[in-house]
Amino acid sequence: MAKYTSLNIDDKGIATLTLNRPEVHNAFDDVMISELLQALKDVEDSEQARVLVLRSEGKNFSAGADLNWMRSMADKNYQQNVEDAGELGLLMERLDLLSKPSIALVQGAAFGGAVGLAACCDIVLAQPRSSFCLSEVKIGLIPAVISPYVVRTIGERQSRRYMLTAERFFADEAQKLGLVNDVVDDFEEPLNNLLDALLANSPQAVTACKELIRNVGSRPINKDVREHTIKAIAEIRVSDEGQEGLSAFLEKRPAAWLNKN
């Protein structure tokens, strides 16, 4: 049984993964990372789960890495630190590559590695007083493992500022940077609107679209990219859900996947 997290998949296919360590502001250690890895694997492997909601209990989304855990790692050798960082790297990769859409709900503070979690999700909602900080250099560290995802999300120029200064910034600035999609007073209505929109779409097409974005997002538009997009649309057109979606549209009826909700 998980100690610091919980995962629930409801009959609509909404998988809610909750960080539940509010007494330390949902700071993560090796135990929480292991639990999150298993939860994400369960969501990926689940035929029922169609969308992931990542949220947390308490005032703050997450304070990032647990300092006591980080202190203990300082007493271990280089190879042990490589292996430990590898688990955090795998967590970011698994969340980033999740085949199902993901939504992060950020309340309060999101520091350090928690910014990485947000950057790995497809959609991020934050409250007006939510704050973010890439705080690692303040304690003599660097945001290494999360850096590919954060730099991709907010760009190299802004990463130079916020990673080097460790300044705290709030939701409105995070939205300008591209880290946050929407700033909302309360999560539930905007979340439900997003869930309704996502669940109305073809699960197969959503997964294929995530892969498409990943493949073309950072590559120059050249022959290889063009050929990839040509093959991608051809494959989805002849797929079961592609055929069903086109038929449903032409016949002016609900697509089959809507009847499963």
Side-chain angles (χ1 to χ4, degrees):
M1 184 176 179
K3 183 178 180 182
Y4 296 140
T5 63
S6 64
L7 175 64
N8 176 67
I9 303 175
D10 69 14
D11 56 5
K12 291 183 177 181
I14 301 167
T16 302
L17 177 54
T18 306
L19 311 184
N20 191 13
R21 205 183 176 206
E23 67 278 5
V24 291
H25 309 290
N26 296 305
F28 45 81
D29 59 6
D30 53 342
V31 175
M32 182 182 277
I33 290 171
S34 177
E35 291 180 6
L36 289 171
L37 281 168
Q38 183 59 53
L40 290 174
K41 184 178 186 302
D42 291 343
V43 172
E44 185 65 59
D45 294 343
S46 171
E47 293 184 1
Q48 182 178 353
R50 290 189 52 194
V51 57
L52 172 71
V53 178
L54 179 64
R55 63 193 313 164
S56 57
E57 293 289 343
K59 292 182 178 180
N60 297 302
F61 179 68
S62 174
D66 184 292
L67 290 181
N68 288 325
W69 169 57
M70 294 292 286
R71 189 177 296 114
S72 72
M73 292 309 302
D75 295 328
K76 296 184 178 181
N77 62 35
Y78 172 80
Q79 186 56 40
Q80 289 171 316
N81 271 274
V82 167
E83 293 169 1
D84 179 78
E87 289 297 289
L88 180 60
L90 181 59
L91 171 61
M92 297 296 160
E93 178 184 40
R94 190 166 289 176
L95 178 58
D96 185 60
L97 297 180
L98 189 72
S99 66
K100 298 156 189 185
S102 56
I103 304 171
L105 307 181
V106 178
Q107 84 280 12
F111 278 30
V115 179
L117 293 176
C120 288
C121 285
D122 299 314
I123 302 169
V124 178
L125 302 182
Q127 295 176 337
R129 296 302 297 169
S130 298
S131 62
F132 301 81
C133 185
L134 293 154
S135 53
E136 286 84 353
V137 294
K138 282 185 176 292
I139 56 173
L141 303 176
I142 56 175
V145 172
I146 67 171
S147 62
Y149 310 101
V150 175
V151 173
R152 179 190 64 192
T153 301
I154 71 173
E156 183 178 343
R157 187 64 176 174
Q158 299 299 342
S159 295
R160 288 186 181 205
R161 172 174 178 172
Y162 289 106
M163 287 184 179
L164 298 179
T165 64
E167 292 174 271
R168 187 173 183 173
F169 56 98
F170 289 87
D172 58 345
E173 182 65 19
Q175 186 177 33
K176 293 175 185 176
L177 295 174
L179 180 62
V180 166
N181 292 91
D182 294 322
V183 181
V184 299
D185 292 318
D186 181 77
F187 288 132
E188 296 316 309
E189 183 177 352
L191 173 62
N192 288 332
N193 290 339
L194 285 169
L195 292 172
D196 287 345
L198 290 167
L199 293 173
N201 300 330
S202 156
Q204 186 178 3
V206 167
T207 293
C209 200
K210 283 197 65 169
E211 183 178 359
L212 175 70
I213 294 166
R214 188 163 55 246
N215 278 318
V216 306
S218 59
R219 297 168 61 187
I221 302 174
N222 54 27
K223 181 180 179 182
D224 289 342
V225 168
R226 290 193 297 273
E227 288 182 351
H228 175 81
T229 62
I230 291 166
K231 291 177 181 177
I233 187 59
E235 288 172 0
I236 204 72
R237 281 175 180 168
V238 300
S239 69
D240 291 342
E241 287 190 7
Q243 293 285 303
E244 166 60 16
L246 288 170
S247 296
F249 177 78
L250 294 172
E251 295 166 13
K252 296 181 173 57
R253 61 171 174 81
W257 57 80
L258 291 172
N259 298 325
K260 297 178 181 178
N261 293 340

